[in-house]
Amino acid sequence: MNAIAVAGYALMGAGALFVLSGGVGLLRFPDFYTRIHAVSVTDSAGAGLILVGLLLLPSGWSTEVRLLIILLFFMLTSPTATHILAHAARRDGVQMWREGDRRR
């Protein structure tokens, strides 16, 4: 195994840790807005790291082009979808958590 493959596996492991921490944030944070923030940031970073790690592994050029297209699509749509969800929640009156509120 060469150094580039090791770097690819390391990036995929780091991406998996980001995605896992987003899942923990989804379970632990008190309201919709903090949960969506935790998930959006960590999933964008985690998926990006996983896709870059996959790009470093030996494969054909057609696979690498597909991975780049997926990475570009995900980096454009994930933050947009998060913004739209947060905007819709705010418009519909979802309240933010305040210090002293009980967990729901």
Side-chain angles (χ1 to χ4, degrees), residues 32-33 36 79-95:
F32 176 77
Y33 298 107
I36 198 170
T80 305
T82 302
H83 174 76
I84 290 169
L85 283 171
H87 183 73
R90 187 72 175 151
R91 185 190 64 220
D92 289 346
V94 175
Q95 295 296 313

Side-chain angles (χ1 to χ4, degrees), residues 50-86:
I50 290 170
L51 288 170
V52 170
L54 286 171
L55 280 169
L56 294 178
L57 297 179
S59 60
W61 66 270
S62 64
T63 303
E64 292 173 1
V65 169
R66 289 181 186 132
L67 287 172
L68 283 172
I69 291 170
I70 292 168
L71 180 63
L72 177 66
F73 179 77
F74 192 76
M75 290 299 138
L76 290 174
T77 59
S78 181
T80 305
T82 302
H83 174 76
I84 290 169
L85 283 171

Side-chain angles (χ1 to χ4, degrees), residues 2-47:
N2 60 13
I4 294 177
V6 170
Y9 288 123
L11 286 172
M12 287 191 298
L17 288 176
F18 269 96
V19 172
L20 181 66
S21 68
V24 170
L26 182 65
L27 295 173
R28 298 283 301 161
F29 284 137
D31 72 334
F32 176 77
Y33 298 107
T34 55
R35 288 177 182 167
I36 198 170
H37 175 72
V39 171
S40 68
V41 170
T42 58
D43 280 352
S44 294

